[in-house]
Amino acid sequence: MESQALLGLGTKLLDIDEQRFRQVVGLLEHMGDHPDVQKTFSLIRPRLVELKPRRRPTMKRLFCEPFEDLFEPLDRSAPAPLKTIERDVVNGLWPLVEAQIGKERVKSFSGALRPVAEAPDGPDMALAFWTEAGEAVALIAGQFEAGRFAEDLKLRLTPDRVRAVGDIARILSIAGPVAELKAVLAPHPVVRLHQDHLAGVQEIGRKVARSRPEALKIFILLAAARLADPSLLLGGLWNMELGQKSGDRAALFLELSGTVITQIEERSRVMKQAPRQSADRLAVADLAAGLVASLEATRSAMEQSRNSSFDQRLKAVRGSVHEMVRSQILEGATGDILEALEEMRDGTMNGAAPAQAAETRDQLLRAENHARALRKCATIADTLGLRGELKAVTQKTLSSLTDTARQLLGRGAGSATPASGSRAGFTAVRMIELIAGPAEANQIMNDVLNGKP
């Protein structure tokens, strides 16, 4: 397939069948680092993450390996690392690094791309490459700070981008310890921190503190990026002995704490600002549960340091999550769920125009997500001070769903209830199960079928 025809596929690459998609990825990789190829990879990256096709090892990919955990997530709803690196910055930086080192010199490290069985010295070669690449990036970073290379980078230089290039240089200078860290905190993302995780981070962190103290902060941020919830590292960090002075340890802890809280604030702000009618209720509940867990972990860690400077920020975030759950999940829950059943009962899924039937199905899926969200919020209602309000909404919704199920299913075997009405009745029982659990739903179903009031 010719390059122009391949690149002309555009967004169609997201929809083609899996086998052909993998073939296209292989063809794109053999076309090298052409800007149009990079644009195409950026376009299809969400599907690359989903399917994880085997990628051809390249020196650029090896270059990125130590700092890849800091790339901005492709899923915008996912929490970002506490410090992020734009892929566009790396795409512009790599040719400059390659030119600084020399293309022939870069090729001399290509043995690092082969399996260890074929190249036993591969890991040592990779470390030597990262060392030279780090020195090259450090030189380039110094020139960036002087206002140069912006044209070569093909990006507008901002403080964050200049900072990111400096971070890359520091990370490459500790690439060996970073490789050890990735082995300790695996598989990525780590959902729960155990003592062996913390012991490993401490041991490797002490090496970094001795050899490259200026890189210790970015090392800790890399460790946090390996976790599903970066706030989990706070409690362990306070008790880590990294060979620092007590004042330096406290400063590092407080800086990481501030960064964690800033991320929590941003996540709550984004979801709180979403229009209520466009919100995915289950996504809101998942985010709320995650934010509450982060708040609890952060507050627990801050209590150990006995520093109250972040208390007001934590309270503000809690208030934001409280309002988000109240306005986007509890408010109007009964009406939204019952409205979907009314659409079914009216028969709009039976004999309706395809577009109308599709809208009814979408409404039903939204209602099911809303029911799941109510159940999920039961785990955080006490923490948010919403126990009474959630109980009232849940009881009202369950009572209305029970009445609907009795009305549509309790007419006996010879009933002339239309098929759409029966379906709506069973869906009401399904909603009860999603909100209150299978035991409650089974009891109501048995009562209905046995004619009990």
Side-chain angles (χ1 to χ4, degrees):
M1 185 182 293
E2 294 184 0
S3 62
Q4 287 188 350
L6 182 62
L7 295 172
L9 288 173
T11 56
K12 293 180 181 177
L13 292 175
L14 297 173
D15 301 320
I16 62 177
D17 64 79
E18 181 177 334
Q19 182 178 357
R20 191 174 177 217
F21 178 82
R22 292 179 185 276
Q23 292 174 344
V24 169
V25 170
L27 289 171
L28 282 170
E29 291 200 319
H30 280 94
M31 290 164 62
D33 285 331
H34 189 280
D36 286 340
V37 174
Q38 295 305 316
K39 288 179 183 177
T40 304
F41 270 122
S42 296
L43 179 69
I44 65 174
R45 204 171 297 279
R47 199 169 183 199
L48 288 173
V49 172
E50 178 188 353
L51 296 180
K52 295 182 175 61
R54 189 175 183 83
R55 305 293 300 278
R56 179 172 62 91
T58 64
M59 294 306 295
K60 180 183 176 183
R61 195 161 289 129
L62 181 65
F63 170 70
C64 296
E65 196 171 299
F67 54 85
E68 63 186 354
D69 288 333
L70 297 187
F71 283 145
E72 294 176 310
L74 297 167
D75 180 359
R76 295 301 180 185
S77 65
L82 298 178
K83 276 286 180 78
T84 58
I85 294 175
E86 292 179 69
R87 288 181 172 83
D88 286 346
V89 168
V90 177
N91 288 336
L93 179 63
W94 169 243
L96 305 182
V97 173
E98 202 173 25
Q100 181 76 32
I101 297 175
K103 289 193 175 184
E104 290 303 314
R105 177 63 175 164
V106 169
K107 286 181 182 178
S108 72
F109 293 109
S110 60
L113 302 178
R114 299 200 300 271
V116 175
E118 298 178 14
D121 61 342
D124 292 336
M125 201 176 292
L127 190 56
F129 166 67
W130 287 326
T131 299
E132 285 202 30
E135 292 169 355
V137 175
L139 287 173
I140 294 168
Q143 292 169 318
F144 277 159
E145 291 168 0
R148 303 175 186 172
F149 277 92
E151 184 176 344
D152 292 338
L153 193 64
K154 296 182 176 61
L155 285 174
R156 181 175 61 87
L157 285 178
T158 65
D160 280 346
R161 284 171 174 164
V162 172
R163 183 270 308 161
V165 176
D167 285 344
I168 290 172
R170 278 184 286 275
I171 293 168
L172 290 170
S173 75
I174 56 167
V178 169
E180 295 178 46
L181 175 72
K182 293 173 82 168
V184 167
L185 295 179
H188 174 266
V190 175
V191 176
R192 181 172 297 179
L193 269 180
H194 298 291
Q195 192 56 43
D196 57 337
H197 292 137
L198 293 171
V201 173
Q202 176 177 275
E203 181 182 351
I204 302 165
R206 293 181 74 169
K207 294 180 188 177
V208 173
R210 285 195 299 268
S211 62
R212 296 276 184 174
E214 74 282 359
L216 183 59
K217 175 187 168 185
I218 196 67
F219 171 81
I220 294 298
L221 289 170
L222 281 167
R226 301 287 297 174
L227 308 180
D229 181 358
S231 64
L232 295 175
L233 189 61
L234 283 178
L237 180 63
W238 180 253
N239 295 309
M240 277 186 194
E241 180 49 64
L242 298 173
Q244 300 170 286
K245 296 178 182 178
S246 58
D248 291 339
R249 180 177 66 171
L252 178 62
F253 176 84
L254 291 176
E255 187 168 358
L256 181 61
S257 300
T259 307
V260 166
I261 294 173
T262 298
Q263 185 198 63
I264 295 172
E265 288 171 332
E266 182 59 27
R267 291 174 67 199
S268 67
R269 187 180 302 116
V270 168
M271 188 59 82
K272 183 181 177 183
Q273 291 173 348
R276 182 184 180 278
Q277 61 272 18
S278 67
D280 178 339
R281 314 295 181 208
L282 186 56
V284 173
D286 286 339
L287 173 62
L291 289 173
V292 167
S294 296
L295 283 172
E296 293 298 294
T298 304
R299 183 164 52 195
S300 175
M302 295 305 296
E303 285 176 357
Q304 296 181 60
S305 70
R306 300 191 180 279
N307 186 294
S308 59
S309 61
F310 295 124
D311 279 357
Q312 291 305 313
R313 291 175 67 185
L314 292 172
K315 288 177 181 176
V317 173
R318 179 183 175 278
S320 176
V321 178
H322 170 107
E323 178 58 23
M324 179 174 67
V325 171
R326 188 199 64 76
S327 64
Q328 298 197 36
I329 297 178
L330 301 186
E331 191 176 277
T334 304
D336 288 349
I337 292 172
L338 291 178
E339 185 179 345
L341 297 180
E342 287 295 328
E343 292 292 326
M344 291 185 68
R345 184 162 60 178
D346 291 344
T348 51
M349 291 180 69
N350 246 350
Q356 188 179 7
E359 173 57 31
T360 302
R361 281 192 294 272
D362 289 345
Q363 187 176 8
L364 181 59
L365 289 174
R366 290 194 295 269
E368 288 185 350
N369 272 351
H370 207 154
R372 290 187 179 94
L374 285 176
R375 185 173 177 84
K376 183 127 195 168
C377 286
T379 62
I380 57 174
D382 282 352
T383 303
L384 296 176
L386 287 169
R387 182 180 182 181
E389 193 165 345
L390 175 66
K391 183 178 180 180
V393 170
T394 299
Q395 287 181 341
K396 179 181 178 183
T397 306
L398 289 174
S399 176
S400 298
L401 288 169
T402 301
D403 289 344
T404 299
R406 290 186 191 283
Q407 178 186 358
L408 296 176
L409 299 176
R411 302 181 182 182
S415 166
T417 304
S420 57
S422 297
R423 189 185 306 154
F426 287 116
T427 301
V429 177
R430 166 72 171 154
M431 295 292 185
I432 292 169
E433 179 181 10
L434 293 176
I435 296 171
E440 180 79 9
N442 287 338
Q443 183 62 54
I444 290 173
M445 190 68 183
N446 288 335
D447 290 348
V448 168
L449 294 179
N450 292 326
K452 293 183 181 179

